[in-house]
């Protein structure tokens, strides 16, 4: 989905003090346009005539991606020259590994930064099928999340969770709160936001919607 379709979402996220950037590439699964967008913004950060001059904290850059864009986000943090600039990643219903080859595929084991991965429990994300050669599994089945989660190093901060009763198209809205909390903790060091997702009493563990 092109960024122009959800500008109000960007404005809300920016209200928490983030510089929020998207692009209008409708084939973002390769991660290339995302990488180019980051390069452009870093140039703006050094351009005296730019609105963004000196505004970007280059040590605290995060990335989010939904659906095809989730696969693109994984590729952006693993396959590009500027991949090492990202500090954290959040994905919503990232296209599973059997779909991702359409955009070049991805290797979750290459992710070396904290990752919060989410998906929906509805059949659009997970049909319950298991045989990829005969059946449609959904866009982001639980098996795919587990595969990505287990592929990552055990030394990394990683979190996986699914939204109860949600369908694929609901994921951006339904994950918004915890995505914001994740970025506030990871990029701004907000300890209160981190409590929603970490520890034995983490809010998410007792949230019936998750």
């Amino acid at each position: 989905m092109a960024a122009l379709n959800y500008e109000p979402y960007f404005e809300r996220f920016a209200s928490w003090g983030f510089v929020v950037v998207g692009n209008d590439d409708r084939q973002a699964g390769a991660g290339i346009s995302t990488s180019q967008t980051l390069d452009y913004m870093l140039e703006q950060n050094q351009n005296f005539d730019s609105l963004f001059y000196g505004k970007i904290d280059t040590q605290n850059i995060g990335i989010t991606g939904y659906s095809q864009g989730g696969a693109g986000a994984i590729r952006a943090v693993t396959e590009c020259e500027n991949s090492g600039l990202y500090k954290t990643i959040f994905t919503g219903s990232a296209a599973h590994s059997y779909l991702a080859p359409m955009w070049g595929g991805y290797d979750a084991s290459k992710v070396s930064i904290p990752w919060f991965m989410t998906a929906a429990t509805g059949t659009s994300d997970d049909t319950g099928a298991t045989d990829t050669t005969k059946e449609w599994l959904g866009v982001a089945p639980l098996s795919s999340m587990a595969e990505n989660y287990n592929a990552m190093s055990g030394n990394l901060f990683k979190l996986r969770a699914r939204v109860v009763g949600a369908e694929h198209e609901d994921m951006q809205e339904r994950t918004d709160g915890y995505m914001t909390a994740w970025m506030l903790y990871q990029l701004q060091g907000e300890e209160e936001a981190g409590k929603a997702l970490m520890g034995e009493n983490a809010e998410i563990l007792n949230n019936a919607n998750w």
Side-chain angles (χ1 to χ4, degrees):
M1 184 186 298
L4 60 85
N5 291 323
Y6 48 96
E7 287 183 4
Y9 169 86
F10 280 26
E11 293 173 358
R12 190 211 59 75
F13 195 34
S15 74
W16 289 93
F18 295 100
V19 174
V20 189
V21 185
N23 63 55
D24 292 332
D25 180 15
R26 297 176 187 272
Q27 293 295 325
I32 297 172
S33 60
T34 303
S35 176
Q36 293 171 337
T37 299
L38 176 56
D39 282 343
Y40 173 79
M41 290 307 300
L42 293 177
E43 291 172 2
Q44 296 305 298
N45 192 48
Q46 298 179 7
N47 181 355
F48 184 79
D49 295 323
S50 172
L51 172 68
F52 297 101
Y53 176 70
K55 296 291 198 305
I56 298 175
D57 180 354
T58 59
Q59 300 303 307
N60 287 289
I61 298 173
I63 184 172
T64 67
Y66 292 82
S67 191
Q68 178 199 149
I74 299 169
R75 285 186 58 83
V77 303
T78 58
E79 304 294 341
C80 302
E81 290 187 6
N82 58 13
S83 292
L85 297 179
Y86 295 102
K87 187 177 180 180
T88 189
I89 178 174
F90 173 94
T91 55
S93 298
H96 66 77
S97 57
Y98 297 101
L99 285 174
M102 289 191 290
W103 308 290
Y106 61 75
D107 183 351
S109 70
K110 292 182 179 181
V111 177
S112 58
I113 54 178
W115 183 2
F116 184 5
M117 57 187 77
T118 66
T121 61
T123 55
S124 52
D125 262 4
D126 192 343
T127 65
T130 58
D131 189 344
T132 58
T133 64
K134 299 178 180 179
E135 304 168 289
W136 167 243
L137 273 62
V139 178
L142 179 59
S143 59
S144 175
M145 292 183 68
E147 180 180 316
N148 291 341
Y149 185 92
N150 292 334
M152 291 180 67
S153 168
N155 296 323
L156 291 170
F157 184 3
K158 52 184 177 177
L159 176 63
R160 74 174 194 246
R162 297 202 299 170
V163 186
V164 176
E167 293 295 344
H168 187 72
E169 63 270 18
D170 302 324
M171 287 301 291
Q172 187 167 4
E173 179 179 359
R174 293 284 297 273
T175 63
D176 188 49
Y178 284 143
M179 183 277 291
T180 301
W182 174 263
M183 291 299 178
L184 283 170
Y185 175 74
Q186 294 290 338
L187 303 180
Q188 296 185 14
E190 289 285 348
E191 296 291 339
E192 284 300 312
K195 291 178 182 178
L197 302 167
M198 297 187 304
E200 294 181 0
N201 297 313
E203 178 188 298
I204 196 170
L205 294 177
N206 300 296
N207 187 338
N209 295 312
W210 288 74

